[in-house]
Amino acid sequence: MAKKLGNIKNNISSLYYSWLNNNYKLILSQFLKKKSYHAFIFCSIHGIGTIDLIYALIKWILCTNKNYLNNCEKCKNCILIKTGNHPDLYIIKKKYGHINISIDDIRNIIDNIYNNSYRDQGKIIWLPFAKQLNNSSSNALLKILEEPPKNTWFFIQCYNKSDLLPTISSRCQIWYINPPSEKDGLYWLNKKLNNNYEKKIIITALRICNYSPINAYKLLNSALWIQRKKLYEIFVSAIKHDILYLLKILNTKNVLLYFNWLYLILIDVIKYHLKLRKNFFYNIDQFNLILEISKIINLNNIFLIIDDLLYYRNCLINIININQKLVLIRFLLSLEKKINIFNNKN
């Protein structure tokens, strides 16, 4: 069955993201000129508001009393969308407990979209996670895209267009939704945070969150920001004294995030060894710690440690039911060996 908007409305923020404004205007200008595509692919990282952009486009398309680029928020369609009950909006996600969107999910959509639409505004099919499609459901979707019903639009979200069959991509207009510039992200975060954080802390949060202001805001307002500092402090202590100090903090549900943070601090150590300027660093709030690590681990071993970190990270991601603690112990022992090689030479 198609998922209605109510199933994901908790993921839709009421915030307005100014960096999406140009994309919104450009897409709607096609509709105003009656030259729009029937299918759109949105490629973007998580956390820059792409869901909000699509949601705004859907509200405009289905609104019966729109005013140029604005929906009215008051007509029956707008109210139904807001409450998650619009009969012509289908949101397709995998069923609970399933790995993929099944071919039956797509066939159910086909059965529905050829019926008359509510108030004749058209029908919209929204796939927030294109990677959930398997080969069978992808081919079923392709058949609809080849001969879509009149006044039917498809909105497909992905991280990269390679998540989709090339034959699907070729039948859609592709939009690459980029994060805002660091300057724009910093401006937005300063307003949201009421200027309560130092500039270097906000910039660090932006950089380690792939320039996603939304994710940076969430990080700065969570306990994870304190955990990040704790992780780095334990890391330095562990490489000086006992590498297994790291096991307790790493062996949690946040292990992949912590691996990412260790990767970024090690990248910064490489930049320090190569004498790059500080404004090219990710963790500009941890420069003293970067300096300290650079004295303990030489450049060649940093590269080797990063190779191991990425290898064991991939093991945790790709091997089902793997023993996380055992993987972490093997990683830490490998890390210790590389540090000891350097220390023994000195």
Side-chain angles (χ1 to χ4, degrees):
M1 292 291 292
K3 304 286 195 303
K4 291 298 182 181
L5 185 59
N7 290 21
I8 70 163
K9 64 181 178 181
N10 290 333
N11 295 330
I12 297 172
S13 169
S14 60
L15 298 175
Y16 177 70
Y17 307 126
S18 57
W19 57 87
L20 298 173
N21 197 36
N22 193 49
N23 297 108
Y24 178 77
K25 289 178 178 177
L26 288 172
I27 293 170
L28 287 193
S29 69
Q30 298 180 23
F31 282 88
L32 291 169
K33 295 173 184 176
K34 303 194 181 301
K35 294 182 178 179
S36 72
Y37 276 63
H38 68 275
F40 300 83
I41 293 172
F42 296 86
C43 300
S44 71
I45 63 170
H46 174 71
I48 59 171
T50 307
I51 282 180
D52 298 71
L53 171 63
I54 295 172
Y55 183 54
L57 293 170
I58 289 170
K59 287 196 295 183
W60 185 90
I61 292 169
L62 295 179
C63 178
T64 57
N65 193 28
K66 57 181 73 77
N67 178 21
Y68 189 48
L69 296 178
N70 301 310
N71 62 292
C72 72
E73 299 280 358
K74 296 178 181 179
C75 70
K76 189 71 173 178
N77 278 0
C78 286
I79 293 170
L80 286 171
I81 292 171
K82 190 173 182 179
T83 58
N85 294 302
H86 199 290
D88 292 328
L89 174 58
Y90 301 91
I91 299 176
I92 310 175
K93 298 194 294 181
K94 65 179 182 179
K95 293 177 182 175
Y96 179 76
H98 289 221
I99 298 174
N100 300 112
I101 295 168
S102 72
I103 190 171
D104 289 333
D105 293 324
I106 304 299
R107 284 173 175 166
N108 287 335
I109 294 297
I110 295 173
D111 292 339
N112 283 294
I113 62 176
Y114 285 98
N115 298 326
N116 291 331
S117 64
Y118 179 77
R119 301 206 172 193
D120 295 323
Q121 292 300 112
K123 293 176 180 285
I124 294 174
I125 294 90
W126 183 3
L127 286 90
F129 310 103
K131 208 159 188 175
Q132 292 180 356
L133 291 165
N134 59 24
N135 197 49
S136 297
S137 54
S138 291
N139 282 314
L141 176 64
L142 177 61
K143 289 182 180 179
I144 315 176
L145 291 172
E146 286 174 338
E147 295 183 27
K150 186 179 179 182
N151 291 333
T152 301
W153 293 276
F154 296 80
F155 293 96
I156 304 170
Q157 286 178 256
C158 61
Y159 178 74
N160 192 296
K161 75 171 187 177
S162 61
D163 294 341
L164 292 157
L165 294 176
T167 44
I168 289 178
S169 300
S170 66
R171 286 163 174 79
C172 304
Q173 186 180 67
I174 300 174
W175 286 80
Y176 295 95
I177 310 300
N178 299 314
S181 67
E182 184 170 281
K183 180 181 177 182
D184 289 342
L186 182 62
Y187 175 78
W188 184 84
L189 279 168
N190 266 322
K191 287 183 67 177
K192 286 293 298 172
L193 297 166
N194 296 316
N195 296 304
N196 289 330
Y197 288 81
E198 291 181 68
K199 182 179 179 180
K200 67 179 180 181
I201 290 177
I202 299 178
I203 291 175
T204 296
L206 265 176
R207 291 179 181 179
I208 68 176
C209 290
N210 280 333
Y211 292 95
S212 161
I214 302 167
N215 287 343
Y217 176 77
K218 291 177 181 177
L219 177 60
L220 288 169
N221 283 281
S222 73
L224 282 172
W225 186 252
I226 298 170
Q227 283 294 100
R228 169 182 166 270
K229 184 179 179 182
K230 184 179 177 182
L231 170 69
Y232 286 157
E233 289 171 351
I234 293 174
F235 179 68
V236 172
S237 179
I239 60 180
K240 283 182 177 179
H241 305 293
D242 184 351
I243 201 66
L244 291 179
Y245 287 168
L246 272 169
L247 182 60
K248 187 174 181 180
I249 193 169
L250 287 178
N251 192 28
T252 68
K253 64 180 181 180
N254 294 317
V255 60
L256 295 177
L257 177 63
Y258 293 162
F259 263 41
N260 185 53
W261 286 346
L262 288 177
Y263 169 79
L264 293 177
I265 202 79
L266 291 172
I267 291 293
D268 282 340
V269 175
I270 290 174
K271 292 174 183 177
Y272 178 82
H273 276 298
L274 296 176
K275 304 186 185 308
L276 297 183
R277 290 191 311 224
K278 280 176 66 175
N279 57 317
F280 290 111
F281 286 45
Y282 289 103
N283 300 278
I284 60 174
D285 66 331
Q286 297 292 331
F287 192 74
N288 289 337
L289 183 137
I290 291 166
L291 176 60
E292 196 170 355
I293 296 171
S294 70
K295 293 176 181 177
I296 302 171
I297 313 174
N298 70 6
L299 182 58
N300 288 335
N301 281 343
I302 290 288
F303 283 118
L304 295 174
I305 290 168
I306 287 176
D307 282 345
D308 278 354
L309 187 150
L310 295 176
Y311 171 77
Y312 287 108
R313 179 181 177 275
N314 285 334
C315 289
L316 290 171
I317 292 172
N318 297 316
I319 302 176
I320 299 172
N321 296 325
I322 194 168
N323 187 319
Q324 178 175 296
K325 187 174 182 180
L326 182 59
V327 170
L328 291 173
I329 290 172
R330 294 191 66 171
F331 165 64
L332 294 175
L333 292 177
S334 173
L335 173 58
E336 182 181 48
K337 182 178 179 181
K338 291 173 176 61
I339 294 167
N340 286 339
I341 289 172
F342 174 65
N343 289 338
N344 291 335
K345 286 181 180 179
N346 290 277

